[in-house]
Amino acid sequence: EFLKVLANCTADDVKKIWTNDGELSTLGFRQRVSTLHPSPVIRKLQPYQRARIWRYLRDAMGLSYYTEIGTIIANVDNEIGGHLRVKEIYESFEVYKEIANFIVATQRTLQSLQSTTSNTTTTENITYPKVEKIVELACGHGLVGLLLAYRFPHLQVSLYDLFARPTYAAFVQSFEKYGFKRP
C-alpha cells in the first residue's frame, strides 16, 4: 500500500536521512515552533511529503527493522477513510522511541548487573526493577502501546481508555494482517 505512494517520488526523496531539525517545518507540518499543525492527514500529503513521512517511519523504527510499519500505517489510513493525522503519527512514534529506548537501556543495565533471576538487582543502594509489563492509560488510538507490544512481544502490554476508538481497531487489524508474527 505505502509503496504505491512512493511510485510518484524520486529515490532521493526517500534516501535522504530524516532530520527532526527543520524537516517538519520544511514539510509544512509546524503550526508554531513547538507545535505540529493538527490538520495535515496522510492521505492528502503531496508525494514528496509522503516519501519523507515513510522515511521518518523507517528511521524511527530502525533502518533495517520493522519495514512493514509503513504498510501498516497506510492500511490504517485506508481503513478509517483517510483521516489519519500526521501529528498523531509523529507524536506517537516519538513517545514510542523514548519508551523503547528506556526499556532497552534498562534491560542492558540489568543484564550487565544481574547474576540471579530475581525481579530486582541492588547495587550501591540502587534498585533496578525488571521491566515486565507496560500499562498505557488514556491510550486513545493506541498506537504507542501497540508499537511497544510489537517491539517487545515478551512484555505484557495493557491499553486502557474510556471507550475503544475505531482507529484502535484499525491499528490492531493492520498489525495482525501486515505485521510479522514474532515468537
Side-chain angles (χ1 to χ4, degrees), residues 29-74:
F29 298 145
R30 287 247 186 246
Q31 186 170 9
R32 293 185 295 274
V33 173
S34 62
T35 308
L36 292 179
H37 200 286
S39 298
V41 292
I42 299 291
R43 182 171 288 179
K44 292 184 181 178
L45 296 179
Q46 297 300 314
Y48 176 77
Q49 291 173 312
R50 281 186 172 210
R52 298 307 300 148
I53 291 296
W54 180 84
R55 182 56 195 236
Y56 167 73
L57 296 174
R58 289 286 308 254
D59 291 352
M61 297 302 288
L63 195 53
S64 60
Y65 302 103
Y66 309 106
T67 56
E68 66 279 9
I69 294 297
T71 301
I72 291 168
I73 298 299

Side-chain angles (χ1 to χ4, degrees), residues 28-160:
F29 298 145
R30 287 247 186 246
Q31 186 170 9
R32 293 185 295 274
V33 173
S34 62
T35 308
L36 292 179
H37 200 286
S39 298
V41 292
I42 299 291
R43 182 171 288 179
K44 292 184 181 178
L45 296 179
Q46 297 300 314
Y48 176 77
Q49 291 173 312
R50 281 186 172 210
R52 298 307 300 148
I53 291 296
W54 180 84
R55 182 56 195 236
Y56 167 73
L57 296 174
R58 289 286 308 254
D59 291 352
M61 297 302 288
L63 195 53
S64 60
Y65 302 103
Y66 309 106
T67 56
E68 66 279 9
I69 294 297
T71 301
I72 291 168
I73 298 299
N75 186 66
V76 170
D77 189 49
N78 286 334
E79 290 295 317
I80 65 168
H83 301 292
L84 194 56
R85 297 181 305 150
V86 171
K87 179 181 186 337
E88 291 174 347
I89 297 300
Y90 181 78
E91 290 174 350
S92 294
F93 272 81
E94 288 299 303
V95 169
Y96 157 79
K97 288 189 318 185
E98 291 297 322
I99 296 169
N101 287 339
F102 172 79
I103 292 169
V104 169
T106 301
Q107 289 173 338
R108 287 182 180 155
T109 300
L110 282 173
Q111 287 173 355
S112 67
L113 296 174
Q114 199 169 35
S115 59
T116 66
T117 58
S118 65
N119 282 343
T120 61
T121 299
T122 304
T123 9
E124 301 175 21
N125 298 324
I126 301 172
T127 301
Y128 297 90
K130 184 176 182 181
V131 177
E132 296 176 339
K133 64 175 117 177
I134 299 168
V135 177
E136 184 181 2
L137 302 176
C139 68
H141 51 66
L143 182 55
V144 173
L146 291 170
L147 287 169
L148 290 167
Y150 195 61
R151 169 66 176 81
F152 302 102
H154 62 283
L155 298 179
Q156 175 188 346
V157 179
S158 302
L159 288 76
Y160 297 96

